[in-house]
Each structure stands twice: as structure tokens, then as C-alpha cells.
Amino acid sequence: AFSEIEKDEL
Amino acid sequence: MNIFRLTGDLSHLAAIIILLLKIWKTRSCAGISGKSQILFAIVFTTRYLDLLSSFISLYNTSMKVIYIGCAYATVYLIYMKFRATYDGNHDSFRVEFLVVPVGGLAVLINHDFSFLEILWTFSIYLESVAILPQLFMISKTGEAETITTHYLFCLGLYRALYIVNWIWRYYFEAFFDLIAIVAGVVQTILYCDFFYLYVTKVLKGKKLSLPA
């Protein structure tokens, strides 16, 4: 799912 | 990281600092919506819970700490230190009409039905409408201090720059997050009439006053 992608934005 | 996201973050940081300094230097929060500032504190708290669990970069972590620290410091100044100057009568937007629908939407539409992901989604949706109490207050008082308009301009500009960042990331990194994009577009649209007034009035040295 999407949440695997690192959330790197503030 | 790209230049649009970096300038967006710096514009956001500038807005937060401008507001904090305005309240601290003038020892007054006249014209400032405490409700919007509470919503922003909630936005940062629910979005940056991963501060404890994941480390992305020194920049990422330090900016999150600064945002959260300034947000709570601003709320403290408004509701504690300078509460005598808080204009509660004009800060009358019913925030429950924002928080409840946003909370429901975050549970229904998200990327992953997990605790942190739903909180992040809630934070993204809430941020897109968090400025409404402030804009509502300005429409009720019919005017805004010039420093407050600079704060709002930087705040609106930050998410507009993020939209450019998302376009950039779509083409060069094949990355896009529809939830953040849709909420960011809504958020930026809410500033449009303020942007018009800011450019046509404040930048020409006039005071921002709405036809009452």
C-alpha cells in the first residue's frame, strides 16, 4: 500500500 | 527535495515566525484567530507523531520540532500570556463543523486503514480548512493588520509552492499522493480571495479592509 512509501514531506 | 518544496517550507516557517514575533513584540494577539492556531497545533501533532518512530533527515526532524514548538508557543501566547488581548467575540467560527467532517472523511478516504495513516490523513484534511476561522474573523472585523496579511500570504504561498513541488515530483520522480494534492489544492483555493486583496491592496501600501 501507499504507506510503505516514506513520508518525507513536512 | 526540490527548490519548490524547500521554498515552500521556508515560506511556511516564515509565516510561523512572523506570527509568533508579531504577538510577542506587540504583546497582543488582536485580529488573530486562536481557533485557527489550535487547529494548526492539532495538524502538526497528528502529522508528526512519527517524530518518535522514524528518522528521515536532520532537516525533516528539526523542521517538525520547530513547527510543533512554535505552534504550541503561539497557542500559549494567545490563550494564556496575552489572553486579555484575545478577541473572542470575533473568533466565533464553529470549529466542530470542521473537525467532525474532516475526522469522518479521514476514516473513509485514506491510503491505509492504520492508526498513523488515518491520523496523517486527518492532519492533511484538517490543514486544508484550518485557516477558515482566521479568514472568517477578518471578514467579521472587516480588516486585518498589515503584519497579519504578510503572515497569511506566506502561509498561503507555502501550500501553493507545494503544489508545484507535487507537479515536479510527478514528472521527475513518478511520485504523487492524491490525498495531499487534492487537500493542498482546496487549501490554496481558500486563499485566492485573500491573495487578490493582498496583491491589489497591501502591496500598494494600503490597509487590508473588506467592504463591511
Short mmCIF file of all heavy atoms in Angstrom, two decimals, chain A residues 1-3 5-10, chain B residues 5 48 56 60 111 117 165-166 169:
data_model
loop_
_atom_site.label_atom_id
_atom_site.label_comp_id
_atom_site.label_asym_id
_atom_site.label_seq_id
_atom_site.Cartn_x
_atom_site.Cartn_y
_atom_site.Cartn_z
N ALA A 1 0.85 -1.21 0.00
CA ALA A 1 0.00 0.00 0.00
C ALA A 1 0.88 1.24 0.00
O ALA A 1 2.07 1.18 0.21
CB ALA A 1 -0.88 0.01 1.26
N PHE A 2 0.21 2.36 -0.14
CA PHE A 2 0.93 3.63 -0.26
C PHE A 2 1.82 3.87 0.95
O PHE A 2 2.91 4.39 0.85
CB PHE A 2 -0.09 4.76 -0.39
CG PHE A 2 0.55 6.11 -0.31
CD1 PHE A 2 1.15 6.66 -1.43
CD2 PHE A 2 0.59 6.81 0.88
CE1 PHE A 2 1.77 7.89 -1.35
CE2 PHE A 2 1.21 8.05 0.95
CZ PHE A 2 1.79 8.60 -0.16
N SER A 3 1.31 3.46 2.12
CA SER A 3 2.01 3.89 3.34
C SER A 3 3.43 3.33 3.40
O SER A 3 4.23 3.78 4.19
CB SER A 3 1.23 3.43 4.57
OG SER A 3 1.17 2.01 4.51
N ILE A 5 5.61 3.87 1.20
CA ILE A 5 6.50 4.93 0.71
C ILE A 5 6.80 5.87 1.87
O ILE A 5 5.92 6.29 2.59
CB ILE A 5 5.80 5.73 -0.42
CG1 ILE A 5 5.44 4.80 -1.58
CG2 ILE A 5 6.71 6.85 -0.90
CD1 ILE A 5 4.65 5.48 -2.68
N GLU A 6 8.08 6.18 2.04
CA GLU A 6 8.50 7.05 3.14
C GLU A 6 7.80 8.41 3.01
O GLU A 6 7.82 9.01 1.94
CB GLU A 6 10.01 7.26 3.05
CG GLU A 6 10.60 7.92 4.29
CD GLU A 6 10.66 6.95 5.46
OE1 GLU A 6 11.59 6.13 5.46
OE2 GLU A 6 9.75 7.00 6.34
N LYS A 7 7.15 8.85 4.08
CA LYS A 7 6.57 10.20 4.05
C LYS A 7 7.69 11.19 4.38
O LYS A 7 8.04 11.39 5.53
CB LYS A 7 5.45 10.31 5.09
CG LYS A 7 4.19 9.55 4.67
CD LYS A 7 3.03 9.98 5.51
CE LYS A 7 1.79 9.13 5.30
NZ LYS A 7 1.58 8.64 3.95
N ASP A 8 8.24 11.77 3.29
CA ASP A 8 9.39 12.65 3.56
C ASP A 8 9.02 14.12 3.50
O ASP A 8 9.85 14.98 3.67
CB ASP A 8 10.50 12.35 2.54
CG ASP A 8 10.02 12.65 1.14
OD1 ASP A 8 8.79 12.83 0.96
OD2 ASP A 8 10.86 12.73 0.22
N GLU A 9 7.71 14.40 3.24
CA GLU A 9 7.32 15.82 3.17
C GLU A 9 6.80 16.28 4.53
O GLU A 9 6.26 15.49 5.30
CB GLU A 9 6.24 16.01 2.10
CG GLU A 9 6.76 15.72 0.70
CD GLU A 9 5.72 16.04 -0.37
OE1 GLU A 9 4.54 16.19 -0.02
OE2 GLU A 9 6.11 16.12 -1.54
N LEU A 10 6.96 17.58 4.78
CA LEU A 10 6.54 18.11 6.10
C LEU A 10 5.02 18.23 6.14
O LEU A 10 4.39 18.38 5.10
CB LEU A 10 7.20 19.48 6.32
CG LEU A 10 8.71 19.42 6.57
CD1 LEU A 10 9.26 20.81 6.69
CD2 LEU A 10 9.01 18.63 7.84
N ARG B 5 9.74 22.72 -2.99
CA ARG B 5 9.38 22.24 -1.64
C ARG B 5 10.21 23.00 -0.60
O ARG B 5 9.68 23.39 0.45
CB ARG B 5 9.62 20.74 -1.53
CG ARG B 5 9.25 20.17 -0.18
CD ARG B 5 8.68 18.77 -0.31
NE ARG B 5 9.64 17.80 -0.85
CZ ARG B 5 10.33 16.96 -0.09
NH1 ARG B 5 10.20 16.98 1.21
NH2 ARG B 5 11.15 16.09 -0.65
N TYR B 48 3.01 14.69 12.86
CA TYR B 48 4.42 14.47 13.19
C TYR B 48 4.61 13.49 14.35
O TYR B 48 5.62 13.50 15.01
CB TYR B 48 5.11 15.81 13.49
CG TYR B 48 5.08 16.78 12.33
CD1 TYR B 48 5.11 18.15 12.54
CD2 TYR B 48 5.01 16.33 11.01
CE1 TYR B 48 5.07 19.05 11.47
CE2 TYR B 48 4.96 17.20 9.95
CZ TYR B 48 4.99 18.56 10.17
OH TYR B 48 4.95 19.43 9.11
N ILE B 56 14.08 10.70 9.15
CA ILE B 56 14.28 10.83 7.70
C ILE B 56 15.53 11.65 7.42
O ILE B 56 16.40 11.25 6.64
CB ILE B 56 13.03 11.47 7.06
CG1 ILE B 56 11.86 10.49 7.15
CG2 ILE B 56 13.29 11.86 5.61
CD1 ILE B 56 10.52 11.09 6.95
N ASN B 60 14.36 17.33 8.22
CA ASN B 60 12.98 16.91 8.43
C ASN B 60 12.62 16.95 9.91
O ASN B 60 11.62 17.55 10.31
CB ASN B 60 12.81 15.49 7.86
CG ASN B 60 11.37 15.03 7.82
OD1 ASN B 60 10.86 14.55 8.84
ND2 ASN B 60 10.70 15.23 6.71
N HIS B 111 -5.12 6.14 2.56
CA HIS B 111 -4.30 5.20 1.78
C HIS B 111 -4.18 3.85 2.47
O HIS B 111 -3.82 2.86 1.87
CB HIS B 111 -2.90 5.78 1.59
CG HIS B 111 -2.87 6.95 0.65
ND1 HIS B 111 -3.40 6.89 -0.62
CD2 HIS B 111 -2.38 8.20 0.78
CE1 HIS B 111 -3.24 8.07 -1.21
NE2 HIS B 111 -2.61 8.87 -0.39
N GLU B 117 -1.62 6.23 9.72
CA GLU B 117 -2.01 6.70 8.39
C GLU B 117 -3.30 7.50 8.46
O GLU B 117 -3.46 8.53 7.81
CB GLU B 117 -2.21 5.49 7.46
CG GLU B 117 -2.38 5.87 5.99
CD GLU B 117 -1.13 6.48 5.37
OE1 GLU B 117 -0.02 6.20 5.87
OE2 GLU B 117 -1.28 7.25 4.42
N ASN B 165 5.69 21.64 -6.27
CA ASN B 165 6.57 20.53 -5.87
C ASN B 165 5.98 19.18 -6.29
O ASN B 165 6.65 18.29 -6.79
CB ASN B 165 6.77 20.60 -4.35
CG ASN B 165 7.02 19.26 -3.71
OD1 ASN B 165 8.04 18.64 -3.93
ND2 ASN B 165 6.04 18.79 -2.93
N TRP B 166 4.63 19.02 -6.12
CA TRP B 166 4.00 17.75 -6.48
C TRP B 166 4.00 17.54 -7.99
O TRP B 166 4.16 16.42 -8.47
CB TRP B 166 2.57 17.72 -5.93
CG TRP B 166 2.54 17.56 -4.43
CD1 TRP B 166 3.34 16.76 -3.67
CD2 TRP B 166 1.66 18.21 -3.52
NE1 TRP B 166 3.02 16.89 -2.33
CE2 TRP B 166 1.99 17.77 -2.21
CE3 TRP B 166 0.61 19.13 -3.66
CZ2 TRP B 166 1.32 18.21 -1.08
CZ3 TRP B 166 -0.07 19.57 -2.53
CH2 TRP B 166 0.29 19.12 -1.26
N ARG B 169 7.51 16.45 -8.72
CA ARG B 169 7.79 15.07 -8.29
C ARG B 169 7.05 14.08 -9.18
O ARG B 169 7.53 12.97 -9.42
CB ARG B 169 7.38 14.87 -6.83
CG ARG B 169 8.19 15.69 -5.85
CD ARG B 169 7.95 15.28 -4.41
NE ARG B 169 8.65 14.03 -4.09
CZ ARG B 169 8.60 13.47 -2.88
NH1 ARG B 169 7.88 14.01 -1.92
NH2 ARG B 169 9.25 12.36 -2.63
#
